[in-house]
Amino acid sequence: GPPTPPSPPSPNPPSPPSPPPPAPPAPLPPPPPPSPAPPKPTGHREPWECPPETVAVNASGVASCTWVNGKHGVRIINTAHRYCDYFEKGYFGYTFDKTAGTPEQFPCPVSAGLGSNSPNNNTGSWFCTVTTDSSRGTFPKDAKANCSGNGPIKFFGYYWPMQ
């Protein structure tokens, strides 16, 4: 007779379930965020109001706003020099040589902006400049920059006669 067809292969017994893959390690918590820089002032400052990190004085018919090294978070490097020639144009501040320190070591006051006169960090100067924009308001009528004294500074500011 005809050949008998081969019998179908017997089904393989089901293999035991493979063990589940090991769970991935729990993710590490994200590092804490760096402490935030002090917030830049917001809102508008009236001309007679001093920026928040200055020392305000009102005495003997003259008022002043002064950034003082060591007060209200102001840190001025001991080799800084004031520049005040442009106060009447709405800005003034101080400068220091890039070889003397960095803005990370000696950050500009909150109401000042950081500038530079060279494209690299090894030559030239850093400038911390207070402007009517950065300080959120104009300077008072008849105000003058307090730029007395030569050499390294411990403060800078402006003053005006009281009306």
Side-chain angles (χ1 to χ4, degrees):
T4 28
S7 57
S10 61
N12 291 338
S15 56
S18 55
L28 293 173
S35 30
K40 286 288 185 191
T42 57
H44 178 73
R45 177 182 58 78
E46 294 298 332
W48 59 87
E49 293 176 319
C50 290
E53 77 278 20
T54 62
V55 174
V57 175
N58 179 351
S60 304
V62 175
S64 64
C65 300
T66 306
W67 288 261
V68 179
N69 192 28
K71 302 257 189 197
H72 306 294
V74 174
R75 289 176 33 214
I76 303 172
I77 190 170
N78 63 5
T79 57
H81 290 273
R82 296 177 190 95
Y83 65 93
C84 300
D85 297 346
Y86 307 102
F87 184 80
E88 287 74 25
K89 291 183 164 63
Y91 65 98
F92 76 120
Y94 62 92
T95 180
F96 61 97
D97 193 283
K98 288 185 176 184
T99 60
T102 68
E104 291 75 30
Q105 295 168 305
F106 299 96
C108 292
V110 172
S111 56
L114 175 68
S116 168
N117 64 358
S118 73
N120 65 51
N121 290 340
N122 316 351
T123 62
S125 298
W126 295 114
F127 292 84
C128 290
T129 305
V130 175
T131 67
T132 54
D133 284 343
S134 71
S135 68
R136 306 169 5 262
T138 58
F139 300 123
K141 181 178 184 310
D142 299 325
K144 304 240 179 290
N146 185 350
C147 282
S148 56
N150 293 320
I153 64 170
K154 294 190 176 2
F155 67 90
F156 72 105
Y158 56 94
Y159 61 96
W160 67 98
M162 297 298 293
Q163 301 301 328

